[in-house]
Amino acid sequence: MAKNNTPEVKTEQKIQTKYDRKMEARRQQKLKDERQAKLTKMIAAIIGLVIAVIIVASIAAPIIRKNAALNGTYVKVGEHELNGLEYDYYYETTVNNYLNSWASILPYMGLDTSGDFSKQQYMDNMTWKDFFDEMTVEQIRQTKALVDDAGKAGFTYDTTEEYETFLTEFKAAADSAGTSVSEFYKMNFGTYATEKNVAPFVKEGMVANAYYDELLETNTPSEEEVKAYYEEHKVDYDKVDYRSFTFTADVSEEATEDEINAAMDEISDKADAMMKARQDGGDFEELCIQNASEDMKASYEDAETEYSLNEGRNSSSIPDVVSDWLYDEGRKEGDIAVLKDEIYNQYYVVEFVNRYYDEADDANISSTLASQAVSEYISALIENYQVTDVKGNLKYLTIDETENAEETGETDAEGDGTDGSSE
């Protein structure tokens, strides 16, 4: 084997002293500190930028929302494009009117007026917000239709005096509420409402109302039409005078059917006995005293009143079983009967006195006929005022579509003899 003559190269390695290692450690630490400083500055810059964006956004958001409310189209009704400001005006007005009208029963309807309407169910598929939106849109449709029709008919109405009255009353209401007029506008008509920007909506409503009154006047029925209507609806307008006494079965809510029947039989016998006594010439009021409970005797004993006598009553204010008997065409003065009310476990002893028509109700009939005619006229008008949910916030509009789709699916399933499920 040939001998390798390549000279061996020897590398001289430097031996690190303790000092060298110390200096190297310092150099590495310096590099690390410089990198950390750069990273800290970079993070600080990013955080500053984010904070700046948040601050700008928080300042800009209300401006953006206000511009959208004042300028953008929120909903289109017919050919009318309403911005958020105008929709809020109608919405708040509708809600306030409803809450004021039904204040006494709202607690029983389960509505928390201080809560979010969109999170409270009005019915299974509709929230209170949906319900109020639907009412609002219908009010808008009617108002726009009336104002448009008024213009076509050449109807004009000077709102000056009525608007001045509105401003005076509104200021008084604000003072009474202990707030400024500007805040009261926001409370009643929406976040961005001011006296100036809602004035056109207020005046438009005044024109619509004035035109509605004009339509009522125009559609006032003749005397012949009033009399004809009365002849067809006598029961609704005739009044009756009658005497009555009520026997109520003494049963608890947990009573069995047998217990209820036994109690009803007992008061039936008492009612029959009272009727016979009256037919034999007994005084009705005296018979009431004899049969009344201790806490009711004083009412019948009062010499100043005839507690059993009911005068000028309409059929709608009388229990059905009693009304049906009183308004029978063959009924005559002095007729008396015992009538059973199974719903309330009662028996009535009823004596007919008189039935008559008060001609003062001619005005009520006239108003009813005029209102019906105008309602039909407006219904025809608003058919042309279709609703376009530009912002997609009127969820109630999709409820009917969903229900119709479900009903169609059920109908199809029934029609083809299947249960609607796929195999």
Side-chain angles (χ1 to χ4, degrees):
M1 180 180 292
K3 187 177 181 180
N4 187 355
N5 295 319
T6 304
E8 181 180 353
V9 178
K10 293 184 179 181
T11 303
E12 181 180 359
Q13 293 186 356
K14 182 179 180 180
I15 298 175
Q16 282 192 331
T17 65
K18 184 176 180 180
Y19 173 79
D20 292 334
R21 289 195 297 272
K22 183 176 181 180
M23 294 303 293
E24 177 63 18
R26 287 183 178 179
R27 187 179 71 83
Q28 292 296 333
Q29 183 62 45
K30 182 178 180 181
L31 291 174
K32 183 178 179 181
D33 291 344
E34 289 176 351
R35 286 196 300 271
Q36 184 62 43
K38 290 180 180 179
L39 181 60
T40 300
K41 289 180 180 179
M42 184 181 299
I43 292 174
I46 293 173
I47 292 175
L49 179 60
V50 171
I51 292 174
V53 169
I54 292 173
I55 292 173
V56 171
S58 65
I59 295 173
I63 298 174
I64 294 172
R65 287 196 295 269
K66 182 175 182 179
N67 286 335
L70 298 179
N71 302 312
T73 300
Y74 186 86
V75 64
K76 185 177 180 182
V77 177
E79 297 302 316
H80 299 274
E81 295 185 356
L82 285 75
N83 59 21
L85 171 72
E86 186 171 6
Y87 185 83
D88 284 350
Y89 166 81
Y90 278 101
Y91 179 84
E92 296 296 339
T93 301
T94 299
V95 171
N96 289 335
N97 287 340
Y98 183 89
L99 298 184
N100 289 332
S101 298
W102 299 95
S104 61
I105 65 171
L106 287 177
Y108 304 101
M109 298 173 71
L111 176 63
D112 176 8
T113 57
S114 64
D116 186 342
F117 295 147
S118 67
K119 295 181 180 178
Q120 301 181 64
Q121 291 300 124
Y122 174 72
M123 57 177 63
D124 289 344
N125 58 354
M126 177 181 280
T127 66
W128 277 94
K129 174 65 163 57
D130 298 329
F131 172 67
F132 288 136
D133 276 329
E134 184 173 21
M135 289 182 64
T136 299
V137 170
E138 290 309 302
Q139 183 60 54
I140 293 171
R141 293 177 73 198
Q142 179 170 312
T143 300
K144 298 299 182 182
L146 283 171
V147 172
D148 289 347
D149 197 59
K152 294 175 183 176
F155 175 83
T156 58
Y157 177 70
D158 186 354
T159 62
T160 303
E161 184 176 347
E162 186 177 357
Y163 185 67
E164 287 300 321
T165 300
F166 164 80
L167 292 178
T168 300
E169 293 177 350
F170 195 82
K171 183 180 184 306
D175 292 340
S176 179
T179 188
S180 66
V181 172
S182 60
E183 283 302 311
F184 206 54
Y185 267 95
K186 293 178 174 62
M187 291 168 58
N188 283 275
F189 303 130
T191 305
Y192 306 109
T194 65
E195 178 181 325
K196 181 178 180 180
N197 63 23
V198 303
F201 315 145
V202 176
K203 293 177 181 178
E204 184 177 60
M206 292 174 178
V207 173
N209 289 335
Y211 185 58
Y212 181 85
D213 291 340
E214 175 71 9
L215 290 175
L216 287 176
E217 184 69 25
T218 304
N219 285 275
T220 299
S222 65
E223 290 184 11
E224 291 73 19
E225 289 174 315
V226 170
K227 292 187 181 300
Y229 184 83
Y230 162 69
E231 290 298 326
E232 294 179 5
H233 301 83
K234 282 186 175 183
V235 173
D236 296 326
Y237 289 96
D238 278 355
K239 292 179 172 61
V240 291
D241 300 338
Y242 66 98
R243 297 182 184 278
S244 69
F245 183 83
T246 304
F247 290 91
T248 302
D250 184 14
V251 292
S252 66
E253 293 183 1
E254 296 79 19
T256 65
E257 185 175 349
D258 288 341
E259 290 172 334
I260 293 174
N261 289 335
M264 289 292 285
D265 289 341
E266 181 182 346
I267 62 172
S268 175
D269 292 340
K270 292 181 179 180
D272 288 339
M274 179 177 173
M275 179 178 69
K276 187 177 185 306
R278 173 60 173 167
Q279 290 171 330
D280 291 341
D283 180 77
F284 199 97
E285 208 72 18
E286 285 296 326
L287 292 171
C288 290
I289 295 172
Q290 293 173 20
N291 287 281
S293 59
E294 289 302 319
D295 59 334
M296 289 299 297
K297 284 186 183 296
S299 297
Y300 290 104
E301 290 172 342
D302 187 350
E304 297 297 321
T305 64
E306 291 184 82
Y307 194 73
S308 68
L309 180 62
N310 301 276
E311 296 181 296
R313 300 288 292 275
N314 290 104
S315 62
S316 60
S317 65
I318 304 171
D320 289 345
V321 65
V322 177
S323 176
D324 292 343
W325 184 83
L326 289 172
Y327 281 85
D328 184 282
E329 287 298 330
R331 195 64 53 225
K332 60 184 184 298
E333 184 178 358
D335 284 354
I336 189 169
V338 172
L339 305 173
K340 183 179 182 180
D341 188 337
E342 294 183 345
I343 296 177
Y344 297 104
N345 298 324
Q346 294 176 331
Y347 273 97
Y348 305 102
V349 178
V350 184
E351 181 178 320
F352 181 81
V353 177
N354 191 22
R355 173 177 171 175
Y356 53 95
Y357 174 69
D358 185 349
E359 292 189 353
D361 277 333
D362 281 354
N364 295 329
I365 293 176
S366 177
S367 176
T368 296
L369 290 174
S371 295
Q372 289 177 351
V374 174
S375 293
E376 292 173 3
Y377 181 74
I378 293 174
S379 294
L381 284 179
I382 65 176
E383 286 182 2
N384 298 318
Y385 286 75
Q386 300 303 312
V387 180
T388 303
D389 184 12
V390 178
K391 292 293 185 181
N393 292 326
L394 304 179
K395 296 179 181 178
Y396 83 89
L397 290 172
T398 65
I399 293 174
D400 290 339
E401 295 175 2
T402 302
E403 290 180 343
N404 289 337
E406 291 175 351
E407 290 174 1
T408 301
E410 291 174 1
T411 302
D412 290 344
E414 292 172 0
D416 62 14
T418 70
D419 61 1
S421 62
S422 60
E423 296 182 0

